[in-house]
């Protein structure tokens, strides 16, 4: 059959829209995963046992099972309990929860690393336990783990391709739509790969800027 | 006896460094150093940190290649101009004749004391296991650690590690031994056991070049002392002259700082 | 929780789990080969090999594994590579994890102290002899744990081949979710099997790591 990249330019617009959605999904799921990761980390360390153990179980379960399986659970499971989310929301929540489990683990390690003396200092000043954790410990821990969280965001970008499997219209799915019209899988998956590669480069550059700035702010 | 032997072995020096120079970019680390070491002679190289003395020592076995100049071991040029493939074979052969002891010992942590010593003789000199073991035992007796032969490096003290490192180098039966601040990384109470081994080695007429911070040791053991500063040999002479009556102001000021509080 | 349903379907899940294990073992083995070659290339004396190694790592790590798998499986026939889904899965996943393993192996080799090479070279060993006898034995011990992280990720990563219809654990779970409308049960069943595989592998790696630790 051979290769003919001449078919690609006609679909660049559609692919670019798909790439835009990939960026949107990555940003939304990334933000969600960090916020939820902090909550899980704090809940797993300091929470009431009724919170702590379920959180630990969730993190264990979501770190130990494939993202794709989790996406199926969330996409079909939420419908099952009467919440009819569209694929986009399910995809963002699925990606977000999956990476929240990984982020929680990293942030917990960061909290444990700063804790000791800082907690004592905070409590000595008369801050409450909650104030000490939220104002003193967590901000430092999050800053310490920025590089590791950044790596997770890069992984998230690439794993966002998986939400195409539950029908979210992003870059991979837009390539598949083009393929269904042209029957040229190699060319369009290759084109999608180039888009991903470029987005990835931009994300890496942005993350290293953030890291440098945080390093300078110390 | 050693004098007659060395005279019989030929007229040339054991080590001959001619006009050694080294640059990193625009920084000149070595600026034309000459040194001849006779067979059985023990030379100390002293000087402030950053004076280039370690770089100079590491140039002798080409761990840090020179930018220009020549290094000879007897009648073999160590840094012979060859294609990189030929040079690789040449230098591997030459290095077997030049033992080196490092500041941080560099014992192989995954190998026992015995294996540390026998690895290179077995691999490079094709010694049988028995021959190599015999050699290891002989060298360990020499450094007083025969009872540690089946220990792992992590089970040894710093001083013991360095003595094993000396035994490992000696097992290759080198013509020259280079010591790169062999006692600088040791706790003070462990320095003497290593010095003791080096003294013994000196008495057996091993040719040695010793980069050191220990002025007392250099004074006692060495035949000749080189004082280096700024990549040059500032002054050179017998220990008596260098330590008691140096002619250069830079030598005097260095020694003032380093001998202070010693005597 | 529909226990009766779980009891009825679990044999099919176990069968599918066997495929997941096969995919894991084969792709990890291929990944280790790619990783060893990649690391050798990245540490080579030859600039061209270093470039090839760096390009491999950058391209594979810079794009989604799913896309790589699709290019191989769906795009392959266009350039004369016709593979069944399982084989495409093994190759795609193996080449993908190989890029990550390249960096793990390279990192472990670099982490061995410079003085070790110097000591070996000073005794007269060639570069290759020093690498084989002194550096690699130490690097191997350093790389077991981080390779364990790669392996753990890869076991979960095998789920991707569900997207090219290889009947492994995730694909099976998806089919049963669609046919039984019991997503939680199916998720838990498949999830527990993944966790067992991952925990067993993790324990094996920890055991290996302790076994070879330098005393």
């Amino acid at each position: 059959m051979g290769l003919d990249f001449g078919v690609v330019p006609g679909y660049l617009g559609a692919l670019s829209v798909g790439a835009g959605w990939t960026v949107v999904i990555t940003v939304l799921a990334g933000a969600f995963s960090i916020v939820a990761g902090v909550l899980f980390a704090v809940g797993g360390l300091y929470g009431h046992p009724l919170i702590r153990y379920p959180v630990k179980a969730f993190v264990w379960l979501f770190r130990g099972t494939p993202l794709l399986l989790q996406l199926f659970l969330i996409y079909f499971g939420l419908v099952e309990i009467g919440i009819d989310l569209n694929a986009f929301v399910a995809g963002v929540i699925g990606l977000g929860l999956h990476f929240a489990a990984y982020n929680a683990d990293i942030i917990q390690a960061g909290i444990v690393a700063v804790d000791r003396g800082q907690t004592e200092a905070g409590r000595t000043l008369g801050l409450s336990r909650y104030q000490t954790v939220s104002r003193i410990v967590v901000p430092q821990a999050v800053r310490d783990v920025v590089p590791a969280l950044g790596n997770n965001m890069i992984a998230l970008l690439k794993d966002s391709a998986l939400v195409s499997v539950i029908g979210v219209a992003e870059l991979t799915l837009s390539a598949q739509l083009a393929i269904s019209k042209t029957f040229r899988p190699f060319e369009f998956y290759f084109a999608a790969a180039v888009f991903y590669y470029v987005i990835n480069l931009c994300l890496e550059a942005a993350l290293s800027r953030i890291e440098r700035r945080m390093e300078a702010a110390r | 006896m050693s004098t007659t032997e060395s005279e019989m072995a030929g007229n040339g020096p054991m080590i001959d460094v001619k006009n050694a120079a080294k640059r990193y970019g625009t920084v000149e680390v070595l600026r034309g150093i000459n040194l001849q070491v006779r067979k059985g002679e023990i030379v100390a190289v002293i000087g402030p940190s950053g004076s280039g003395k370690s770089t100079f020592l590491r140039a002798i076995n080409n761990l840090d290649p020179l930018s220009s100049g020549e290094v000879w071991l007897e009648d073999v040029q160590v840094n012979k101009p060859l294609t990189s493939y030929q040079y690789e074979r040449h230098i591997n052969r030459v290095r077997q004749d030049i033992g080196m002891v490092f500041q941080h010992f560099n014992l192989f942590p995954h190998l026992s004391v015995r294996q540390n010593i026998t690895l290179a003789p077995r691999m490079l000199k094709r010694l049988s296991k028995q021959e190599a073991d015999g050699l290891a035992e002989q060298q360990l007796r020499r450094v007083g650690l025969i009872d540690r032969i089946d220990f792992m490096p992590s089970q040894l003290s710093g001083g013991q590690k360095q003595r094993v490192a000396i035994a490992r180098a000696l097992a290759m039966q080198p013509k020259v031994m280079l010591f790169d601040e062999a006692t600088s990384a040791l706790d003070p109470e462990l320095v003497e056991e290593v010095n003791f081994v080096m003294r013994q080695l000196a008495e057996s007429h091993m040719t040695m070049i010793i980069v050191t911070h220990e002025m007392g040791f250099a004074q006692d053991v060495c035949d000749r002392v080189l004082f280096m500063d700024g990549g040059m040999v500032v002054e050179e002479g017998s220990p008596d002259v260098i330590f008691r009556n140096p002619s250069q102001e830079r030598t005097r000021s260095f020694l003032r700082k380093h001998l202070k509080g010693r005597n | 929780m529909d226990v009766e349903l779980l009891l009825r379907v679990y044999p099919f899940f176990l069968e599918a789990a066997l495929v997941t294990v096969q995919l894991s073992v084969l792709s990890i083995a291929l990944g280790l080969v790619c990783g060893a070659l990649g690391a050798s290339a990245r540490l080579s004396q030859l600039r061209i090999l270093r470039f090839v190694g760096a390009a491999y790592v950058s391209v594979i790590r810079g794009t989604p594994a799913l896309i790589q798998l699709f290019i191989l499986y769906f795009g392959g026939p266009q350039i004369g590579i016709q593979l069944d889904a399982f084989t495409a899965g093994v190759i795609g996943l193996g080449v993908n994890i190989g890029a990550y393993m390249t960096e793990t192996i390279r990192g472990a080799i670099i982490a061995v102290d410079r003085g070790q090479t110097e000591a070996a070279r000073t005794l007269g060993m060639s570069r290759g002899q020093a690498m084989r006898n002194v550096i690699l034995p130490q690097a191997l011990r350093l790389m077991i744990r981080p390779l364990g992280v790669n392996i753990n990720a890869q076991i979960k990563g095998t789920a991707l081949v569900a997207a090219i219809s290889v009947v492994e654990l995730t694909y099976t779970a998806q089919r049963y979710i669609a046919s039984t409308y019991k997503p939680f049960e199916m998720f838990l069943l498949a999830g527990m099997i993944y966790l067992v595989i991952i925990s067993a592998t993790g324990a094996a790696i920890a055991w290996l790591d302790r076994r070879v630790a330098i005393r």
Side-chain angles (χ1 to χ4, degrees):
Chain A
M1 187 167 164
L3 299 182
D4 175 15
F5 281 93
V7 296
V8 174
Y11 289 88
L12 274 183
L15 288 174
S16 301
V17 172
W21 282 112
T22 285
V23 171
V24 170
I25 290 166
T26 302
V27 169
L28 289 177
F32 177 48
S33 77
I34 289 172
V35 172
V38 170
L39 293 176
F40 292 154
V42 172
L45 279 175
Y46 306 105
H48 184 276
L50 281 178
I51 294 173
R52 190 157 77 228
Y53 289 107
V55 163
K56 284 186 170 178
F58 166 81
V59 169
W60 176 71
L61 194 60
F62 266 51
R63 279 172 47 94
T65 54
L67 171 59
L68 193 56
L69 190 65
Q70 293 160 16
L71 288 172
F72 290 143
L73 169 75
I74 288 158
Y75 185 55
F76 295 103
L78 291 174
V79 178
E80 195 64 20
I81 56 172
I83 308 171
D84 196 357
L85 293 172
N86 64 29
F88 179 85
V89 179
V92 169
I93 291 177
L95 275 172
L97 283 178
H98 179 75
F99 281 94
Y102 282 90
N103 290 345
D105 209 50
I106 290 169
I107 293 165
Q108 253 183 22
I111 288 175
V112 172
V114 288
D115 197 6
R116 258 316 143 58
Q118 291 294 313
T119 309
E120 284 172 4
R123 300 304 298 275
T124 310
L125 290 171
L127 297 180
S128 72
R129 190 176 155 81
Y130 170 76
Q131 286 168 326
T132 311
V133 169
S134 66
R135 295 297 179 81
I136 295 174
V137 178
V138 169
Q140 292 183 62
V142 169
R143 197 164 50 184
D144 288 344
V145 298
V146 161
L149 292 179
N151 283 341
N152 279 356
M153 294 307 102
I154 287 168
L156 192 155
L157 165 65
K158 289 174 285 173
D159 279 349
S160 72
L162 285 182
V163 300
S164 66
V165 177
I166 57 169
V168 180
E170 38 65 82
L171 182 48
T172 303
L173 199 75
S174 61
Q176 283 167 340
L177 286 176
I179 291 163
S180 68
K181 289 178 193 143
T182 60
F183 304 105
R184 293 242 161 233
F186 192 99
E187 289 85 341
F188 282 102
Y189 284 131
F190 190 89
V194 172
F195 271 96
Y196 276 112
Y197 191 76
V198 172
I199 299 171
N200 188 53
L201 285 182
C202 297
L203 180 58
E204 280 179 2
L207 287 170
S208 76
R209 264 190 75 159
I210 291 172
E211 269 177 50
R212 269 206 309 278
R213 205 176 286 176
M214 300 206 77
E215 208 49 56
R218 276 171 195 239
Chain B
M1 174 185 151
S2 74
T3 337
T4 43
E5 234 178 39
S6 71
E7 278 162 3
M8 279 163 61
N11 316 315
M14 177 64 86
I15 290 280
D16 191 356
V17 182
K18 298 173 186 169
N19 217 0
K22 184 170 180 69
R23 283 175 295 276
Y24 288 114
T26 56
V27 185
E28 289 189 80
V29 194
L30 299 176
R31 317 167 176 234
I33 294 180
N34 292 289
L35 172 67
Q36 295 195 338
V37 183
R38 280 175 287 111
K39 183 168 191 233
E41 194 180 15
I42 298 159
V43 175
V45 184
I46 61 170
S49 53
S51 61
K53 56 190 194 298
S54 273
T55 310
F56 173 60
L57 192 76
R58 290 159 60 88
I60 293 175
N61 66 356
N62 207 54
L63 273 187
D64 275 339
L66 292 175
S67 308
S68 65
E70 293 177 6
V71 181
W72 290 78
L73 174 72
E74 295 184 316
D75 53 355
V76 177
Q77 187 180 352
V78 175
N79 60 345
K80 206 175 187 173
L82 293 169
T83 65
S84 67
Y85 175 74
Q86 288 172 316
Y87 185 73
E88 173 79 12
R89 297 180 53 164
H90 168 73
I91 192 66
N92 293 339
R93 178 68 202 77
V94 172
R95 279 177 180 155
Q96 296 184 27
D97 291 332
I98 308 177
M100 186 164 199
V101 176
F102 299 87
Q103 183 178 358
H104 295 288
F105 333 128
N106 296 344
L107 289 186
F108 305 135
H110 61 301
L111 301 178
S112 70
V113 166
R114 180 199 302 272
Q115 291 166 326
N116 261 280
I117 299 174
T118 56
L119 177 67
R122 291 192 64 186
M123 198 160 67
L124 304 174
K125 298 198 160 168
R126 306 270 164 218
L127 296 193
S128 70
K129 184 164 167 26
Q130 285 83 351
E131 288 170 317
D133 277 350
L135 194 58
E137 285 161 22
Q138 182 195 334
Q139 297 305 338
L140 282 172
R141 274 199 197 92
R142 200 165 169 181
V143 301
L145 285 173
I146 187 67
D147 56 328
R148 296 289 190 271
I149 189 162
D150 288 316
F151 280 48
M152 295 302 281
S154 59
Q155 297 170 296
L156 303 178
S157 71
Q160 291 172 333
K161 281 181 193 167
Q162 195 60 298
R163 284 149 69 195
V164 171
I166 293 171
R168 178 174 73 180
L170 289 175
M172 291 303 283
Q173 295 171 320
K175 295 174 177 167
V176 187
M177 286 284 285
L178 310 178
F179 290 85
D180 189 2
E181 302 196 13
T183 55
S184 299
L186 295 175
D187 292 336
E189 70 273 19
L190 301 177
V191 168
E192 195 39 51
E193 62 183 88
V194 173
N195 280 347
F196 179 76
V197 168
M198 288 171 68
R199 251 179 250 268
Q200 268 189 322
L201 202 55
E203 279 158 22
S204 72
H205 305 293
M206 172 61 81
T207 311
M208 298 159 75
I209 304 178
I210 301 170
V211 168
T212 185
H213 279 138
E214 284 193 77
M215 301 309 147
F217 183 79
Q219 198 166 354
D220 291 353
V221 176
C222 298
D223 302 317
R224 193 147 48 107
V225 179
L226 257 66
F227 172 67
M228 280 182 67
D229 195 9
M232 293 190 296
V233 176
V234 175
E235 191 166 358
E236 168 178 5
S238 72
D240 274 352
V241 171
I242 296 289
F243 288 110
R244 296 193 198 289
N245 193 16
S247 60
Q248 300 293 318
E249 174 50 34
R250 261 149 84 191
T251 316
R252 278 197 289 273
S253 95
F254 172 77
L255 289 174
R256 264 201 303 281
K257 280 181 214 144
H258 279 261
L259 295 177
K260 208 185 289 171
R262 274 185 47 90
N263 300 329
Chain C
M1 182 80 56
D2 190 339
V3 177
E4 197 189 322
L5 173 68
L6 286 179
L7 287 176
R8 191 154 51 78
V9 300
Y10 89 88
F12 301 105
F13 277 70
L14 288 184
E15 220 170 290
L18 203 61
V19 179
T20 289
V21 170
Q22 286 167 349
L23 276 166
S24 302
V25 170
L26 293 173
S27 66
I28 287 164
L30 177 60
L32 286 169
V33 172
C34 291
L37 291 175
S40 312
R42 291 214 60 184
L43 296 169
S44 163
Q45 299 282 101
L46 294 176
R47 182 187 298 222
I48 175 78
L49 283 181
R50 283 202 302 276
F51 174 79
V52 169
Y56 166 55
V57 170
S58 172
V59 167
I60 296 292
R61 300 208 315 174
T63 55
L66 188 67
I67 295 285
Q68 294 158 20
L69 198 58
F70 284 168
I71 291 179
L72 180 65
Y73 182 63
F74 296 115
Q78 286 175 262
I79 52 170
I81 302 171
Q82 199 111 30
L83 299 170
D84 64 274
F86 182 86
T87 311
V90 168
I91 293 175
L93 292 171
V95 169
N96 178 267
I97 200 71
Y100 293 86
M101 287 178 166
T102 293
E103 290 303 87
T104 303
I105 294 171
R106 174 171 163 269
I109 290 172
I110 291 175
V112 176
D113 185 64
R114 234 182 89 85
Q116 293 290 311
T117 312
E118 289 187 351
R121 298 303 307 274
T122 300
L123 289 166
M125 290 184 214
S126 68
R127 205 183 297 279
Q129 286 169 327
M131 183 55 87
R132 279 192 302 280
N133 293 285
V134 175
I135 305 305
L136 278 183
Q138 296 180 56
L140 279 175
R141 292 163 160 95
L142 291 177
M143 67 180 74
I144 289 175
R145 262 168 197 285
L147 281 178
V149 175
N150 295 146
I151 288 169
N152 177 309
Q154 180 68 329
I155 294 169
K156 288 169 271 176
T158 59
L160 281 191
V161 299
I164 55 171
S165 305
V166 177
V167 186
E168 44 66 79
L169 202 43
T170 295
Y171 184 83
T172 304
Q174 180 200 0
R175 293 292 294 271
Y176 277 101
I177 289 171
S179 62
T180 63
Y181 300 105
K182 297 283 185 196
F184 289 105
E185 283 87 341
M186 298 305 128
F187 170 77
L188 281 179
L189 183 51
M192 286 307 142
I193 298 175
Y194 275 112
L195 281 162
V196 167
I197 298 172
I198 283 169
S199 306
T201 313
I205 288 164
W207 174 81
L208 190 64
D209 188 57
R210 276 196 309 276
R211 272 285 315 256
V212 302
I214 294 172
R215 278 184 289 142

